[in-house]
Amino acid sequence: MSIITAKEDDPSSSRLTDLASLDTIPWYKKTNLRFLYFILVPTGLGVEWTSGFDSSMMNSLQAVKSWVDYFDNPTSSRLGLLNAMYSLGALMSIPFIPKTSHLLGRRYTILLSSLIMILGASLQASSFNSHMFLASRWILGFGIPFAIVNASALIGELSYAKERAIMTSLFNASWFIGAIIAAGITYVTFGMDSTWGWRLPSLLQIVPSLCQVLGVWFCPESPRWLVARDRGEEALGILRKYHGEGIGGEEFVRLEYALIKGSLEMEKQIASKGDGWIGWWKDVMRDKGMRKRFIIAGVMGFFTQWSGNGLLSFYMKKILGLVGIRDDRRVQQVILGNTCWGLVNAVPIAFWAPRFKRRVMFLTCTVGTGVVYLVWTVASARASIEGEGTKAGVAVLVFIFVYSPFYNIGWNALAYTYLVELFPFQQRSKGIAFEQLTVRFAVFFNTYINPIALDAIGWKYYIVYCIWICVEVLTVYLLFPETYNRTLEELSFMFEGKEVQDRVRQNVDKVLSVELGVIGRKDGQKVSSRNEIERV
């Protein structure tokens, strides 16, 4: 569990955090920063609207008679394939994400992926057989990881240090907005006799992606990507515009720029060399520190989908059927109600969870979901014994709702916050892409196997998740490092040791002294950048 903490081994590494803490002006009183957060809503957070819309729509369509009839009442295996095809498309896009992100930048990669998803949603709405519907699901799945990786990274790389963790935590919480919209639309259309009962929700899946297409033109590019592409003046201008409005803003911006450039120079020095697509993935096995990062990212991908949430996201109708709730309208009401409840608790949790240590929150999440699943399993067993319409069945329904806040504390609120903090810039898109790889493997397995298992053994399938969540608790306790209350550059080399951290600090000081020169205090006194840093 040992990890080199910046505070203990590099006393000056928290310089930027300390400067940010002295800024008492709230974000909503800063004109440019306020606009930045406003435009990040459709451009960045809106990516999860797309993801949430898709999951909720596919969950709800199973209770739409026109969809069931049009596709010949899909069997459990066919239903699993219809859902799993989305993840198969995503799996096939993962290897291309880092290189594409490096070449196009965050903004244009989001734009490209949104256009792909608009194409997929259009084909889905116009499907005339199950093969065309499967193809559209594959296209939608191919596009979404590009958007998720770059949007989550862009939010973390543009946000001011004081709000970064909250902004990245809101990313996953935004999933519920798309899910609620999809559940509401499907609830309105499910009674239609025509195929518009399912075509209309499919067509409206275009709307979230259109938000990214329109919003991306007003959103700045990641300063870190600009520095990596030798466009430092543009990066400095963005930092000065959006991060320089607070108390000590000029000092903060100069130091932030120096940290970004110094860290990127060190990343280039220790990065694996290689040409082509394979060369871009060599950093996965570069050294012990990088291997640990990718192991954690991979583990997180599995855990965010193998914590029992996949059952609720895709197969609520089957779960409710096990306790006697089979009326399609009632199923739609439960899905809509649970999705709204998810948003109600996810947003406050996104503001609250980042204020605490990451390990504590992840452990609270895993232990809490484990207890909920244990009680849920016992109640399901009693409902099976006592029959339909019993108090045990009501208990199952209650704990479906209790599950949401515990899951949201960790795997929702902190997943991308933690990933952005875990990886340095050059490997950030690879790390999040690798997490998406394991996410899609997990979703592919869950969406295909879950309906078959539920039909075969009913509530007993929940026992698998009870055991698995215990594995999650142990893994979080033994493997996850603490990243709380540090800027991205301060966390860039937390695994690499004091020698590398010292070299980064030397690079930062060199940038400050050579490229930025002297920092002026408000009273006009001139001091060297090195002395100003030591003062902080």
Side-chain angles (χ1 to χ4, degrees), residues 261-278:
K261 189 159 188 177
S263 297
L264 285 173
E265 288 177 358
M266 177 56 63
E267 288 181 43
K268 290 178 181 178
Q269 292 174 24
I270 64 177
S272 298
K273 307 298 180 183
D275 298 323
W277 298 99
I278 296 177

Side-chain angles (χ1 to χ4, degrees), residues 67-294:
W67 184 84
V68 174
D69 291 343
Y70 194 84
F71 293 105
D72 299 323
N73 193 19
T75 62
S76 294
S77 59
R78 187 67 173 177
L79 184 61
L81 182 60
L82 287 169
N83 279 319
M85 187 58 68
Y86 186 83
S87 295
L88 181 61
L91 284 170
M92 298 184 72
S93 73
I94 300 297
F96 306 102
I97 293 175
K99 186 73 170 180
T100 304
S101 304
H102 175 76
L103 293 176
L104 299 182
R106 307 295 190 203
R107 294 167 64 243
Y108 286 120
T109 305
I110 292 172
L111 176 62
L112 174 64
S113 63
S114 298
L115 293 173
I116 292 172
M117 287 185 286
I118 288 173
L119 172 62
S122 301
L123 291 174
Q124 183 175 260
S126 58
S127 296
F128 51 81
N129 58 39
S130 61
H131 298 297
M132 188 172 176
F133 194 87
L134 285 170
S136 69
R137 302 292 302 153
W138 186 93
I139 294 171
L140 282 163
F142 188 86
I144 191 65
F146 286 95
I148 288 176
V149 169
N150 285 276
S152 59
L154 183 65
I155 292 169
E157 291 164 3
L158 278 176
S159 298
Y160 188 56
K162 292 180 71 173
E163 292 91 31
R164 175 186 53 77
I166 292 175
M167 288 296 292
T168 50
S169 294
L170 284 170
F171 181 69
N172 252 350
S174 301
W175 184 93
F176 291 98
I177 296 175
I180 288 172
I181 294 171
I185 292 170
T186 311
Y187 180 71
V188 172
T189 65
F190 90 99
M192 292 182 177
D193 293 330
S194 70
T195 59
W196 281 107
W198 62 269
R199 291 190 192 275
L200 186 59
S202 297
L203 183 62
L204 291 176
Q205 192 169 350
I206 292 172
V207 175
S209 295
L210 279 176
C211 292
Q212 283 91 70
V213 171
L214 297 175
V216 74
W217 304 106
F218 302 95
C219 184
E221 182 54 85
S222 165
R224 289 159 179 84
W225 182 79
L226 292 171
V227 172
R229 303 291 285 182
D230 295 323
R231 294 162 60 181
E233 287 300 318
E234 293 178 56
L236 186 57
I238 290 172
L239 293 174
R240 183 173 285 119
K241 180 177 181 179
Y242 296 106
H243 293 181
E245 298 174 294
I247 297 172
E250 184 63 19
E251 294 177 26
F252 182 91
V253 167
R254 290 176 182 270
L255 180 54
E256 184 178 27
Y257 177 77
L259 280 166
I260 291 171
K261 189 159 188 177
S263 297
L264 285 173
E265 288 177 358
M266 177 56 63
E267 288 181 43
K268 290 178 181 178
Q269 292 174 24
I270 64 177
S272 298
K273 307 298 180 183
D275 298 323
W277 298 99
I278 296 177
W280 275 85
W281 287 95
K282 285 186 177 180
D283 279 326
V284 176
M285 301 297 292
R286 186 181 75 198
D287 52 44
K288 182 179 179 180
M290 196 56 65
R291 287 194 295 272
K292 185 170 183 178
R293 287 185 178 94
F294 277 93

Side-chain angles (χ1 to χ4, degrees), residues 1 296 299-300 303 358-367 411 418 469-482:
M1 270 308 303
I296 294 172
V299 163
M300 285 189 65
F303 288 2
R358 309 293 187 244
R359 281 169 46 80
V360 173
M361 291 295 97
F362 279 124
L363 286 170
T364 302
C365 164
T366 49
V367 171
W411 303 132
Y418 198 63
I469 293 173
C470 291
V471 175
E472 292 183 0
V473 175
L474 187 62
T475 304
V476 169
Y477 181 78
L478 295 176
L479 187 63
F480 281 35
E482 187 56 69

